[in-house]
């Protein structure tokens, strides 16, 4: 059994951990923090569905448990951080156009095949609803927090298609800026121009409306509440 209790963070990519890792470890310094990097969007990987998503997440938790020889009682919280990727917008706001990769804007999405993105949104939206209504996974308290349209949009203030290299540079700079300054990060993430106000479920209700899942919003501040 670990001497400290374990807080698990689930994030999409290495740059997410790079940007937030030191901040979260400082804030949860009385606990042991472990990051699970999915290397993609777990809500869209491996043909996952609303029926199988909890099993997929639990498999990731079991991997950490086995690797570090934790017991079930060592885990006190799972914090899952996801990008919204405009998942809740109307199908009419997905514009079919000649682009190689999907492009996000604050009022629409450009895509080569609008129907594929609409279907993706429907599938991911259903999975996110399942997750935000899930309070525990295998007995461990669980909550999922969003960044809209994505983490880079929230942290760096620009909605663009960053390369992996650009993400890594930005995340390293961001981590350096807030190293040892978790209070300043909380102040930043509480800023009214990005923080969605209200309870956990109310923030999710908000992000599901209209074009909100493309605009610069987050409820990560609730992690520190």
């Amino acid at each position: 059994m670990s001497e400290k209790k374990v807080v698990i963070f689930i994030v999409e990519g290495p740059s997410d951990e790079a940007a937030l890792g030191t901040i979260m470890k400082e804030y949860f310094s009385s606990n042991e923090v472990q990051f699970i990097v999915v290397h993609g969007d777990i809500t869209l990987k491996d043909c996952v569905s609303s029926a199988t998503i909890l099993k997929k997440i639990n498999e990731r938790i079991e991997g950490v448990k086995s690797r570090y020889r934790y017991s079930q009682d060592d885990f006190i919280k799972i914090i899952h951080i996801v990008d919204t990727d405009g998942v809740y917008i109307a199908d009419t706001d997905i514009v079919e156009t000649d682009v190689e990769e999907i492009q996000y804007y604050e009022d629409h999405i450009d895509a080569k095949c609008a129907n594929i993105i609409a279907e993706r949104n429907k599938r991911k939206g259903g999975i996110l609803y399942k997750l935000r209504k899930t309070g525990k996974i295998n007995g461990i308290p669980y909550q999922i927090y969003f960044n809209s349209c994505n983490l880079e949009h929230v942290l760096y203030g620009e909605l663009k298609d960053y390369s992996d290299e650009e993400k890594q540079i930005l995340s390293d700079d961001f981590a350096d800026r807030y190293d040892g300054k978790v209070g300043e990060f909380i102040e930043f993430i509480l800023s009214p121009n990005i923080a969605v106000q209200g309870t956990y479920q109310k923030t999710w209700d908000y992000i599901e409306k209209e074009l909100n899942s493309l605009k610069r919003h987050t409820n990560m501040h609730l992690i520190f509440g």
Side-chain angles (χ1 to χ4, degrees):
M1 179 178 289
S2 173
E3 292 183 6
K4 291 184 175 183
K5 295 299 183 181
V6 181
V7 178
I8 293 284
F9 279 84
I10 302 173
V11 296
E12 294 191 2
S15 61
D16 299 15
E17 180 182 7
L20 300 174
T22 55
I23 293 165
M24 298 307 179
K25 287 175 182 177
E26 180 183 348
Y27 184 77
F28 291 101
S29 59
S30 61
N31 303 116
E32 191 167 334
V33 173
Q34 294 288 355
F35 271 77
I36 295 173
V37 179
V38 176
H39 297 282
D41 187 341
I42 199 169
T43 66
L44 297 174
K45 289 173 73 75
D46 305 323
C47 299
V48 72
S49 68
S50 297
T52 62
I53 185 61
L54 299 185
K55 179 182 177 183
K56 290 290 185 182
I57 292 174
N58 191 54
E59 287 172 356
R60 299 276 183 162
I61 303 300
E62 288 296 317
V64 172
K65 182 179 174 182
S66 175
R67 180 178 180 184
Y68 295 99
R69 299 183 180 180
Y70 293 131
S71 71
Q72 187 69 17
D73 291 340
D74 288 331
F75 297 100
I76 59 167
K77 187 180 298 186
I78 303 166
I79 295 172
H80 191 172
I81 298 173
V82 294
D83 296 339
T84 60
D85 294 327
V87 67
Y88 300 113
I89 67 172
D91 291 352
T92 52
D93 293 316
I94 305 169
V95 179
E96 192 160 299
T97 186
D98 187 20
V99 290
E100 289 299 317
E101 301 288 341
I102 186 171
Q103 300 291 324
Y104 295 97
Y105 302 91
E106 290 203 343
D107 60 355
H108 73 283
I109 290 174
D110 281 348
K112 195 162 191 173
C113 184
N115 287 340
I116 290 176
I117 301 306
E119 183 57 34
R120 178 209 71 167
N121 285 356
K122 181 180 178 182
R123 176 182 161 201
K124 178 172 177 172
I127 291 171
L128 289 178
Y129 185 81
K130 170 86 171 185
L131 291 176
R132 66 115 150 174
K133 292 294 185 180
T134 296
K136 291 185 177 181
I137 294 181
N138 197 20
I140 306 169
Y142 167 92
Q143 285 194 311
I144 184 168
Y145 301 88
F146 60 78
N147 289 300
S148 177
C149 173
N150 52 43
L151 182 72
E152 291 76 31
H153 192 193
V154 169
L155 297 189
Y156 316 132
E158 187 175 0
L159 184 54
K160 60 170 282 189
D161 186 18
Y162 292 100
S163 68
D164 289 343
E165 183 179 0
E166 287 174 320
K167 287 181 182 180
Q168 198 61 49
I169 292 169
L170 286 167
S171 61
D172 288 344
D173 288 346
F174 189 85
D176 287 344
R177 186 186 317 155
Y178 289 103
D179 187 17
K181 301 174 182 176
V182 68
E184 290 185 17
F185 172 77
I186 294 172
E187 184 178 346
F188 162 76
I189 212 70
L190 276 168
S191 174
N193 63 320
I194 57 173
V196 178
Q197 301 304 308
T199 64
Y200 175 74
Q201 295 295 347
K202 289 293 186 183
T203 60
W204 275 102
D205 291 342
Y206 174 86
I207 210 65
E208 289 179 357
K209 294 177 181 176
E210 301 171 353
L211 293 168
N212 291 341
S213 60
L214 284 174
K215 298 185 184 297
R216 190 182 180 213
H217 294 304
T218 187
N219 66 350
M220 282 201 301
H221 56 286
L222 297 177
I223 294 172
F224 309 98

